[in-house]
Amino acid sequence: MSKAYEELQPYLEKAMALQTAMVLFEWDDETLAPKEAGAYTSKVIGTLSEEYLEKITCDEVKRLIAECKEDKTLSEVEAAIVREVADELEKLECIPPKEYREFAQLSAESTRIWAEARKNKDFEAFAPTLQKVIDYQKKFASYRAKDGQKLYDVMLDTYEKDFNMEALDEFFRQLKDAIVPLLKEIMKHGKKIDDSFLTGDYPVEKQEEIAKYLAEYVGFDFDKGVLAVSAHPFTTNLHNHDVRITTAYNEHVDDSIFSVIHEAGHGIYELGIRDELTQTMVGQGASMGMHESQSRFFENIIGRNRAFWVPVYGKLQELFPEQLGDIDLDTFIDAINKVQPSLIRTQADELTYSLHVMIRYEIEKMLMEENLEVEKLPDVWADKYEEYLGVRPKDVSEGVLQDIHWSQGSFGYFPSYALGSAFGAQLYARMKKEMDFEGLLEEGKIDVIREYLKDHIHQFGKLKTSREILKDVTGEDFSPKYYIEYLTEKYRKIYEL
Amino acid sequence: MSKAYEELQPYLEKAMALQTAMVLFEWDDETLAPKEAGAYTSKVIGTLSEEYLEKITCDEVKRLIAECKEDKTLSEVEAAIVREVADELEKLECIPPKEYREFAQLSAESTRIWAEARKNKDFEAFAPTLQKVIDYQKKFASYRAKDGQKLYDVMLDTYEKDFNMEALDEFFRQLKDAIVPLLKEIMKHGKKIDDSFLTGDYPVEKQEEIAKYLAEYVGFDFDKGVLAVSAHPFTTNLHNHDVRITTAYNEHVDDSIFSVIHEAGHGIYELGIRDELTQTMVGQGASMGMHESQSRFFENIIGRNRAFWVPVYGKLQELFPEQLGDIDLDTFIDAINKVQPSLIRTQADELTYSLHVMIRYEIEKMLMEENLEVEKLPDVWADKYEEYLGVRPKDVSEGVLQDIHWSQGSFGYFPSYALGSAFGAQLYARMKKEMDFEGLLEEGKIDVIREYLKDHIHQFGKLKTSREILKDVTGEDFSPKYYIEYLTEKYRKIYEL
């Protein structure tokens, strides 16, 4: 280990400890913290985040990073860590510490104001806060923009490198061109699917039981993990021995089933990261897109696959004999793959999902590049849903207030959901060449699939970018065609077109 | 605000934020964290605690504290904060940062090793770790000892100022002289009390319901608080708007009932601290003894009081009609006050409780002042139980491994349980002169009692010491006589002696 690299370690250790603490506060806030704690706790979080900033951007770290960058003796992992710290440093040092801290505090408050506004279906109650969040994000992006780079491109880069507006416009255009006509055809000529039995009196305790069972079945290790309840399902991790997922239970049993498999996918990614990488700057998933590729791979390519349910469906019937006792496997599989243009992204079917994402992408562009006024958001939102999906929200809780992301300042994040689905389909196409994918699922040998993903993706953390991973696994650069082929083939078959 | 005091604030804010984070990690570890997280998470905690140490002991804080100590213009609160920081600084700066950090990490691991050893009834598995903890605590105490001060006196001072071995030897002597003969008389001549109905098939969900009901009934505010489950009940707080209590459920329904009222007492103390004090160095209870005075006040003086149950017992009967439907109030009150020498401190009756504490006090003195070897602990423990209580543990899980405290390095803490009971009795004697205490309880007006405690004790945080609080409330210095009178009168009456 070089001297400069060694001297850097205590700073990084402290920065990571502070970050881990902030993760725990966020987890706690979403799952358990009492109602009135927020205002006080957000001050604590603000202080910790300022401290984190100071650790990464102090003169000593700057000097050491500069030295390390010149050091050719560093190992691959060491060099990757230096690269990540340099990136983070560059991102952070252009933000005045005072603003950074103010935003950390604002963002903690903002999610609570959003949650309250959503509950009360009251956009006005959230609008001023959202405006502040947007102003901060624009300001931060402007600090970071290089050579006339557009603000929204700066934001996109945070979540997925090498996918700017130009690339995403083209990606979404191809998707739209394929999905919109297919959707119309399905609605007009596809066979009729009944999924009404998925909604009803599904007792929460039994939903909890199947949620835990499925998470474990797909490989989420409860010795290193936790499953809890929160308003909006999410995954977080302290390190690769403490990964936490949440879900929410309602009268639609498929909501909790697939959100748990989805979050378990995120969780399995984090659990699979190498020990030597965890709690370092490269100890997380490669990117948001690659993360979503894994969660959506588990949710859809595995979880909505007929083969997956062959050994498992009986267990579900056993738990819910009244609701599912008379429903045969094929009827169930059709139901969980039913296409139905709808209002809520997280409950959307696999086919229309990308259209939900595209709407958010287009609106974010308008907010960041065309100064769309916040007050107009509910109408713009509703108009786009009407245009692309033919449905219109009756209030903001099922419209513009449905997602937590903007309240946290996560602009540029949404596209990674669609990108992730496309990454996943490209990986799936390759894996089918190397293994009897559906055969393994039917035999309950999901561990073979999981180990493949761990070996080829999870273990590397941030050592590789998404594009590098795709290239190494599939031998090709990213291409949306696999996703389009996957959707087209799957849904033409289900709808007998 | 003076300039030096103002300059001090950012340091204190950061130190408090780090401390709050460590509290959250501890809470999480005890209630929810997955099994395998510990080893990794304890590194994070080690780093945070080192960072806390650096904040409090840095040269700038030393300089500012020295200036503030000379500043006569500080307000009462400001001066108290400066005094607390100066104390903490003095405590911390004598400990080499490396050792401080090592101990924080050891203590996090140690509680897990203890829990495992207790489960397996395997003292040997814990002994080497306990030895390390003791060695650290002795070393730390030796760094802090002034003018030939004894090590155990240094430790005692951490939890309760002005109560050294000399004072405690006298306190326990008076208790022993009063309690041991009374206990013998009760066992020989007292009426027979049946409490067998408190043990049985008490379903956990119903125990949870009554636990939540009772916590709320005595005044624990769930908008600012959480109730969870942990192996060993405890209370912790992030600030006065986020206070958390735990309990554990077993077949003895009185265990969870009284542990919840006990922890709610701690919690109500923390919730009652003034807003201007929370998240400062004086924003906690005055001392461990004063804290225990409140928890044991709620548990015993309120919770085991016949008057308390007059409006509440019906609710309990409703929840458990099979177990308690035929048990009348007086039979229930006798049962929850039954005296029975036993092995487990947390389940001990109010009368013998102090003897459990005294045994720990005597053993701690032996460990710290007479170099008692750790291997001998199980036998010494068993012998003392046999001597004072006439019972002998059949294994270490109901013997020397029953308490978490030593694994955390909390030597000198136990006496505060007995002191707290004595503080509470002295307060009770005074309150009875000012209000119709039992009348209020019978009418369910527990808020009048709680407000009195808040006004006279809780709100002040650490602005006053225990002795000052007692003096201000009762007009007298601390005296064990009220506790002895209270116990004697109460138990002679119950046992019809």
Side-chain angles (χ1 to χ4, degrees):
Chain A
M1 209 186 273
S2 84
K3 195 161 162 295
Y5 186 78
E6 201 174 330
E7 281 178 36
L8 187 61
Q9 294 318 300
Y11 295 93
L12 299 186
E13 212 170 278
K14 284 175 188 174
M16 293 311 297
L18 290 161
Q19 199 177 75
T20 308
M22 289 187 281
V23 166
L24 186 62
F25 273 107
E26 201 183 325
W27 158 267
D28 186 75
D29 186 46
E30 299 282 340
T31 54
L32 184 81
K35 211 168 77 178
E36 292 189 23
Y40 286 75
T41 303
S42 60
K43 272 201 291 183
V44 173
I45 297 170
T47 306
L48 294 175
S49 85
E50 194 183 36
E51 192 68 9
Y52 170 79
L53 178 80
E54 279 178 30
K55 288 279 171 274
I56 297 283
T57 59
C58 71
D59 292 339
E60 199 56 14
V61 168
K62 278 185 213 168
R63 183 182 67 75
L64 292 167
I65 283 292
E67 276 185 44
C68 287
K69 273 167 135 179
E70 301 303 313
D71 186 345
K72 302 295 171 225
T73 69
L74 295 182
S75 72
E76 188 200 348
V77 170
E78 289 167 355
I81 289 172
V82 167
R83 202 171 54 232
E84 276 303 318
V85 179
D87 264 19
E88 180 81 347
L89 178 55
E90 201 186 317
K91 252 182 236 165
L92 292 177
E93 73 174 338
C94 59
I95 300 175
K98 192 172 150 281
E99 291 179 16
Y100 179 84
R101 182 209 169 112
E102 283 166 2
F103 180 73
Q105 206 164 319
L106 171 64
S107 138
E109 281 159 24
S110 167
T111 56
R112 274 185 301 279
I113 295 169
W114 159 78
E116 196 65 16
R118 183 171 80 151
K119 205 178 71 187
N120 300 329
K121 307 174 196 291
D122 179 5
F123 183 74
E124 249 87 284
F126 178 53
T129 307
L130 178 59
Q131 186 62 59
K132 276 190 223 163
V133 171
I134 292 171
D135 292 345
Y136 270 107
Q137 288 301 314
K138 279 187 166 176
K139 200 156 44 165
F140 292 170
S142 75
Y143 296 150
R144 286 168 45 206
K146 286 174 204 154
D147 320 322
Q149 200 185 9
K150 296 236 163 102
L151 294 189
Y152 191 47
D153 276 340
V154 176
M155 296 176 193
L156 288 168
D157 186 70
T158 311
Y159 302 104
E160 197 61 59
K161 283 192 214 312
D162 316 325
F163 285 91
N164 57 13
M165 282 187 276
E166 197 188 335
L168 287 169
D169 284 347
E170 172 58 18
F171 170 62
F172 281 116
R173 190 195 56 73
Q174 287 191 35
L175 280 192
K176 190 163 64 174
D177 287 353
I179 294 175
V180 173
L182 178 57
L183 178 60
K184 284 195 179 138
E185 204 184 338
I186 286 173
M187 300 314 288
K188 227 178 197 165
H189 306 295
K191 79 169 182 203
K192 298 295 163 244
I193 290 178
D194 174 27
D195 68 347
S196 61
F197 54 84
L198 294 176
T199 302
D201 182 20
Y202 283 93
V204 169
E205 318 82 71
K206 289 195 175 181
Q207 288 197 55
E208 279 172 349
E209 194 182 332
I210 193 71
K212 183 130 201 269
Y213 174 85
L214 287 170
E216 215 154 9
Y217 182 79
V218 299
F220 184 75
D221 180 351
F222 279 98
D223 283 345
K224 302 174 184 166
V226 169
L227 168 63
V229 170
S230 68
H232 187 95
F234 70 99
T235 300
T236 195
N237 71 310
L238 304 188
H239 42 67
N240 73 351
H241 283 64
D242 190 342
V243 177
R244 299 167 181 213
I245 61 178
T246 72
T247 187
Y249 302 101
N250 61 41
E251 74 278 17
H252 309 293
V253 72
D254 52 329
D255 281 359
S256 66
I257 286 177
F258 291 100
S259 91
V260 159
I261 301 178
H262 178 99
E263 302 304 333
H266 282 303
I268 286 164
Y269 194 164
E270 294 294 339
L271 288 169
I273 287 171
R274 282 188 216 158
D275 278 354
E276 62 165 333
L277 303 184
T278 198
Q279 284 188 310
T280 75
M281 295 291 278
V282 297
Q284 299 83 36
S287 70
M288 288 306 136
M290 193 47 76
H291 236 301
E292 286 300 326
S293 89
Q294 297 306 289
S295 55
R296 294 189 62 76
F297 193 98
F298 275 86
E299 176 189 347
N300 294 319
I301 293 174
I302 293 177
R304 294 188 204 268
N305 196 320
R306 187 184 189 283
F308 171 79
W309 287 98
V310 168
V312 175
Y313 185 57
K315 166 86 185 170
L316 195 64
Q317 285 183 306
E318 237 172 68
L319 265 173
F320 304 110
E322 280 178 41
Q323 295 91 339
L324 300 176
D326 296 335
I327 306 292
D328 66 22
L329 178 60
D330 287 312
T331 309
F332 175 74
I333 298 299
D334 279 351
I336 62 174
N337 286 295
K338 181 175 181 176
V339 171
Q340 181 65 60
S342 68
L343 290 163
I344 305 293
R345 176 184 59 85
T346 55
Q347 295 164 10
D349 60 80
E350 193 181 1
L351 185 68
T352 57
Y353 186 83
S354 296
L355 301 179
H356 291 259
V357 173
M358 194 177 67
I359 289 170
R360 286 153 178 79
Y361 169 68
E362 291 182 359
I363 293 177
E364 288 188 350
K365 274 209 302 189
M366 292 166 78
L367 280 169
M368 298 307 162
E369 298 299 331
E370 298 160 29
N371 289 315
L372 172 65
E373 286 159 50
V374 162
E375 303 84 67
K376 294 192 178 149
L377 275 176
D379 288 337
V380 171
W381 184 283
D383 290 346
K384 288 207 178 279
Y385 264 79
E386 196 149 2
E387 182 186 348
Y388 294 129
L389 287 154
V391 291
R392 194 174 182 90
K394 64 176 187 309
D395 62 52
V396 285
S397 78
E398 57 180 35
V400 66
L401 286 188
Q402 68 184 266
D403 296 305
I404 195 173
H405 305 62
W406 291 349
S407 76
Q408 298 170 318
S410 303
F411 292 93
Y413 186 118
F414 281 118
S416 43
Y417 288 117
L419 280 176
S421 304
F423 295 168
Q426 186 165 346
L427 293 167
Y428 176 51
R430 172 72 204 182
M431 288 170 78
K432 285 213 289 188
K433 289 186 189 153
E434 295 192 32
M435 61 180 76
D436 176 11
F437 195 94
E438 273 68 26
L440 289 166
L441 285 181
E442 282 190 16
E443 290 171 48
K445 290 188 180 157
I446 207 164
D447 53 318
V448 178
I449 294 168
R450 199 176 59 244
E451 285 301 311
Y452 183 97
L453 295 170
K454 183 176 174 178
D455 287 350
H456 290 80
I457 302 168
H458 304 171
Q459 61 149 322
F460 298 113
K462 279 185 187 297
L463 291 183
K464 300 180 181 190
T465 66
S466 300
R467 281 200 193 259
E468 284 166 351
I469 289 170
L470 284 175
K471 193 77 188 274
D472 288 350
V473 179
T474 70
E476 285 179 70
D477 194 9
F478 167 69
S479 160
K481 83 172 176 186
Y482 296 100
Y483 185 39
I484 290 169
E485 279 171 14
Y486 161 77
L487 288 175
T488 308
E489 193 186 319
K490 173 170 176 177
Y491 285 94
R492 294 199 81 83
K493 191 173 160 205
I494 287 177
Y495 278 92
E496 298 170 5
L497 292 169
Chain B
M1 212 187 272
S2 85
K3 194 161 163 296
Y5 186 79
E6 201 173 331
E7 282 178 38
L8 188 60
Q9 295 318 299
Y11 295 93
L12 298 187
E13 214 170 277
K14 285 174 188 174
M16 293 311 297
L18 290 161
Q19 198 176 76
T20 308
M22 290 186 281
V23 166
L24 186 62
F25 273 108
E26 200 184 325
W27 159 267
D28 186 75
D29 185 45
E30 299 282 339
T31 54
L32 184 81
K35 212 169 75 178
E36 292 189 23
Y40 286 75
T41 303
S42 61
K43 272 201 289 186
V44 173
I45 297 170
T47 305
L48 294 174
S49 85
E50 194 183 37
E51 192 68 10
Y52 170 80
L53 179 79
E54 278 178 30
K55 286 281 171 273
I56 297 283
T57 60
C58 70
D59 291 340
E60 200 55 15
V61 168
K62 276 185 212 166
R63 183 182 66 76
L64 292 167
I65 284 291
E67 276 184 43
C68 287
K69 272 168 135 179
E70 303 302 314
D71 186 346
K72 301 295 169 223
T73 69
L74 295 182
S75 73
E76 188 201 346
V77 170
E78 290 167 356
I81 289 173
V82 167
R83 202 172 55 231
E84 276 303 318
V85 180
D87 264 20
E88 180 82 346
L89 176 57
E90 200 186 317
K91 255 181 234 164
L92 293 177
E93 74 174 336
C94 58
I95 301 175
K98 191 169 152 284
E99 292 179 16
Y100 179 82
R101 182 207 170 113
E102 283 165 2
F103 180 72
Q105 207 165 318
L106 170 64
S107 138
E109 282 159 22
S110 167
T111 55
R112 275 186 301 280
I113 296 169
W114 159 78
E116 197 66 14
R118 183 172 78 153
K119 205 177 72 187
N120 300 330
K121 307 175 198 290
D122 179 5
F123 183 73
E124 250 88 281
F126 178 53
T129 307
L130 178 59
Q131 185 64 60
K132 277 190 222 161
V133 171
I134 292 171
D135 292 345
Y136 271 108
Q137 287 302 313
K138 279 187 166 176
K139 202 155 43 166
F140 293 171
S142 76
Y143 296 150
R144 287 168 45 206
K146 286 174 202 154
D147 319 322
Q149 200 185 9
K150 297 234 162 102
L151 294 188
Y152 191 46
D153 276 340
V154 175
M155 297 176 192
L156 289 168
D157 186 71
T158 311
Y159 303 102
E160 197 61 59
K161 283 193 214 311
D162 316 327
F163 285 90
N164 57 13
M165 284 188 274
E166 196 188 336
L168 287 169
D169 283 348
E170 172 58 18
F171 170 63
F172 282 115
R173 189 194 57 73
Q174 287 191 35
L175 280 192
K176 189 163 63 171
D177 286 355
I179 294 174
V180 172
L182 177 59
L183 177 61
K184 284 193 180 142
E185 203 184 337
I186 286 172
M187 299 315 287
K188 225 178 199 166
H189 305 295
K191 80 172 182 200
K192 298 296 162 241
I193 289 178
D194 173 26
D195 67 348
S196 59
F197 55 84
L198 294 176
T199 301
D201 182 19
Y202 284 92
V204 169
E205 319 83 73
K206 290 195 174 180
Q207 287 197 55
E208 279 173 349
E209 192 181 332
I210 193 73
K212 182 128 201 271
Y213 174 84
L214 287 171
E216 214 154 10
Y217 182 79
V218 299
F220 184 75
D221 180 351
F222 279 97
D223 283 344
K224 301 174 185 165
V226 169
L227 168 63
V229 170
S230 67
H232 187 95
F234 70 101
T235 298
T236 195
N237 70 309
L238 304 188
H239 43 67
N240 73 351
H241 282 65
D242 191 341
V243 177
R244 300 166 180 214
I245 62 178
T246 73
T247 188
Y249 301 100
N250 61 39
E251 74 278 18
H252 308 293
V253 72
D254 51 329
D255 281 359
S256 66
I257 286 178
F258 291 101
S259 92
V260 160
I261 301 178
H262 178 99
E263 302 305 333
H266 281 303
I268 286 164
Y269 194 164
E270 294 294 338
L271 288 169
I273 287 170
R274 282 187 216 159
D275 278 353
E276 62 166 331
L277 303 184
T278 198
Q279 283 188 310
T280 75
M281 296 290 279
V282 297
Q284 300 82 37
S287 71
M288 289 305 137
M290 192 47 75
H291 236 302
E292 287 300 325
S293 88
Q294 297 306 290
S295 56
R296 296 189 62 75
F297 193 97
F298 274 86
E299 176 190 349
N300 294 318
I301 293 175
I302 293 177
R304 296 189 202 267
N305 197 320
R306 187 183 187 284
F308 172 79
W309 287 99
V310 167
V312 175
Y313 184 57
K315 166 88 184 169
L316 194 66
Q317 285 182 306
E318 239 172 67
L319 266 172
F320 303 109
E322 279 177 42
Q323 294 92 338
L324 300 176
D326 295 334
I327 305 293
D328 67 21
L329 178 60
D330 288 309
T331 308
F332 175 75
I333 298 300
D334 280 352
I336 61 174
N337 286 294
K338 182 177 179 175
V339 172
Q340 182 66 59
S342 67
L343 290 163
I344 305 293
R345 176 183 59 85
T346 56
Q347 296 165 9
D349 60 80
E350 193 181 2
L351 184 67
T352 58
Y353 186 83
S354 296
L355 301 179
H356 291 258
V357 172
M358 193 175 68
I359 288 170
R360 287 152 177 80
Y361 169 68
E362 291 182 358
I363 293 177
E364 288 187 350
K365 274 208 302 187
M366 291 166 79
L367 281 168
M368 299 307 162
E369 298 299 331
E370 298 160 28
N371 289 314
L372 172 66
E373 288 160 49
V374 161
E375 304 83 69
K376 295 194 178 149
L377 274 176
D379 288 337
V380 171
W381 183 284
D383 290 346
K384 287 205 179 279
Y385 263 80
E386 196 149 4
E387 182 186 348
Y388 294 130
L389 287 154
V391 291
R392 194 174 181 92
K394 66 176 185 308
D395 62 51
V396 285
S397 78
E398 57 178 36
V400 67
L401 286 188
Q402 68 183 267
D403 296 305
I404 196 172
H405 305 61
W406 291 348
S407 76
Q408 298 169 319
S410 303
F411 292 92
Y413 185 118
F414 280 118
S416 43
Y417 289 117
L419 279 176
S421 304
F423 294 169
Q426 186 165 346
L427 293 167
Y428 177 50
R430 173 70 203 184
M431 288 171 78
K432 286 213 288 187
K433 288 185 187 155
E434 295 192 32
M435 59 180 75
D436 176 11
F437 196 94
E438 274 67 26
L440 288 166
L441 285 180
E442 283 191 16
E443 289 172 48
K445 289 188 181 157
I446 207 165
D447 53 320
V448 178
I449 294 168
R450 199 176 58 244
E451 285 301 312
Y452 182 96
L453 295 170
K454 182 174 175 179
D455 288 349
H456 291 79
I457 302 168
H458 305 171
Q459 61 150 323
F460 299 112
K462 278 185 186 299
L463 292 183
K464 301 180 179 189
T465 66
S466 300
R467 281 199 194 260
E468 285 166 351
I469 289 171
L470 284 176
K471 194 75 188 275
D472 288 351
V473 178
T474 70
E476 283 179 71
D477 195 8
F478 167 69
S479 160
K481 82 170 176 184
Y482 295 101
Y483 185 39
I484 291 169
E485 280 172 13
Y486 161 77
L487 289 174
T488 308
E489 195 187 319
K490 173 171 177 179
Y491 286 94
R492 294 198 81 84
K493 192 173 160 203
I494 287 176
Y495 278 92
E496 298 171 4
L497 292 168

